[in-house]
Amino acid sequence: MMNVFCKTLLASALASATLASAYAAEPLTVYGKLNVTAQSNDEKGDATTTIQSNASRFGVKGNFELSSSLEAFYTVEYEVDTGAATSDNFKARNQFVGLKGAFGSFSVGRNDTLLKISQGNVDQFNDLSGDLKSLFKGDNRLGQTATYLSPSISGFVFGATYAAEGDADQQGQDGFSLAAMYGDAKLKKSPIYAAIAYDSDVKGYEILRASVQGKIANLTLGGMYQQQEETYKNALPVTTDSVNGYLFSAAYDIDAVTLKAQYQDMEDKGDSWSVGADYALAKPTKVFAFYTNRSLEASTDDDKYIGVGLEHKF
């Protein structure tokens, strides 16, 4: 049923994008990306090869001017798993509606938490096997959220996400995700980006995360510190010690090539390091290769991933 709905959504969005809109003031944007890799995955001493999708996605977004000072906006996005065992390969991503004005913006629906958003682009291997979520908690997208973002104040943006206790991942608790962010996460409008964020009982965890990234000439450096503590499990409170982790990342541009490296450690889980390179064929298209080595405390064998891939954005 979900697959039929998603196919209908896709057809409707493409038709809307190619025909004149009935509401000239309500532009509809169809967007997405396909990111597919050929990989060798050696996990727990067992090696397999895969042709896998890495958070490939399709979505539509738009806005509507309600008045000279108020605008409505929306996003409906799905992940498309090209390597799924069945053709029913759609999974919900961000899906929300909101209002925007001089007060900032307010949205409700399925959305990334502010702590997840606050990381910016520090993770150089996002969506790949070296993604920071392999060792760090907090990369959460929840179905029942309300999010507020302030207008930019001297380069600072403040925000909060409320996660309702009715969300299936919330362990029966209300949760809050707060963040203060400075600069442009894409490092196009500012040479530095920094953020500090805090989760309280979000998906059963309390997390403090600080992120920073800066660019000097062709070199981009990033870092992250995280402290996390489990607070609820199976809808019951638990008492655990907080654990600390950190991440360092670097990228260097040489014409159309970007060389990347990253190291991450979480004291109760293990560490991971990755190296890779991207080659831009055009603005929306790149080929890339990477190698990730992850050493987990619970395993005697390191997990190793090597892959080459192609990404196209539209």
Side-chain angles (χ1 to χ4, degrees), residues 9-310:
L9 172 67
L10 173 60
S12 299
L14 292 175
S16 299
T18 55
L19 296 175
S21 174
Y23 301 95
E26 186 180 13
L28 174 71
T29 299
V30 179
Y31 69 95
K33 74 173 183 179
L34 286 168
N35 183 308
V36 180
T37 51
Q39 289 190 205
S40 172
N41 309 307
D42 187 346
E43 299 176 313
K44 298 179 180 178
D46 184 17
T48 59
T49 57
T50 57
I51 306 294
Q52 66 184 57
S53 176
N54 305 296
S56 297
R57 67 202 63 169
F58 168 83
V60 293
K61 60 183 178 181
N63 55 73
F64 185 82
E65 187 176 320
L66 300 171
S67 70
S68 60
S69 60
L70 190 63
E71 180 181 286
F73 63 93
Y74 62 89
T75 291
V76 179
E77 182 177 296
Y78 285 92
E79 180 176 332
V80 184
D81 185 355
T82 64
T86 70
S87 59
D88 188 10
N89 60 346
F90 285 91
K91 178 182 177 181
R93 286 177 58 88
N94 290 337
Q95 300 168 350
F96 55 82
V97 63
L99 296 173
K100 183 186 299 183
F103 59 87
S105 66
F106 177 78
S107 60
V108 288
R110 181 182 301 275
N111 210 347
D112 293 339
T113 64
L114 257 296
L115 184 132
K116 180 180 180 180
I117 292 171
S118 74
Q119 74 184 48
N121 296 317
V122 173
D123 185 359
Q124 291 288 348
F125 294 86
N126 185 48
D127 293 332
L128 300 177
S129 298
D131 192 305
L132 66 80
K133 67 184 177 184
S134 298
L135 297 179
F136 287 4
K137 296 293 184 179
D139 256 33
N140 297 319
R141 176 182 299 115
L142 299 173
Q144 299 186 28
T145 69
T147 298
Y148 170 75
L149 283 170
S150 75
S152 179
I153 305 170
S154 300
F156 287 91
V157 173
F158 304 91
T161 299
Y162 165 69
E165 64 179 304
D167 189 291
D169 289 325
Q170 272 304 106
Q171 308 284 331
Q173 302 295 313
D174 289 321
F176 295 90
S177 184
L178 311 173
M181 298 165 283
Y182 174 79
D184 173 24
K186 296 182 179 180
L187 300 178
K188 293 182 178 179
K189 298 179 181 179
S190 64
I192 190 169
Y193 170 78
I196 186 164
Y198 174 72
D199 271 4
S200 175
D201 294 334
V202 176
K203 211 170 180 178
Y205 274 84
E206 182 177 286
I207 300 171
L208 176 66
R209 174 181 289 181
S211 307
V212 64
Q213 190 175 39
K215 188 169 186 178
I216 304 173
N218 294 333
L219 178 64
T220 302
L221 297 174
M224 180 183 292
Y225 166 78
Q226 178 153 314
Q227 183 181 84
Q228 61 190 46
E229 179 181 346
E230 190 170 20
T231 54
Y232 283 87
K233 187 174 183 178
N234 299 323
L236 296 174
V238 294
T239 301
T240 59
D241 294 329
S242 63
V243 291
N244 302 289
Y246 58 88
L247 176 151
F248 297 108
S249 65
Y252 187 74
D253 297 324
I254 308 173
D255 297 325
V257 176
T258 301
L259 304 177
K260 305 189 297 184
Q262 186 161 290
Y263 179 79
Q264 182 184 10
D265 180 87
M266 176 53 74
E267 66 176 278
D268 69 331
K269 296 194 71 174
D271 59 67
S272 173
W273 60 270
S274 301
V275 293
D278 299 347
Y279 179 73
L281 299 172
K283 187 175 181 179
T285 309
K286 69 178 182 181
V287 292
F288 60 93
F290 70 90
Y291 175 80
T292 293
N293 187 99
R294 184 177 302 118
S295 178
L296 300 175
E297 293 185 4
S299 175
T300 56
D301 295 316
D302 288 359
D303 294 337
K304 303 177 180 68
Y305 307 88
I306 184 168
V308 293
L310 175 64

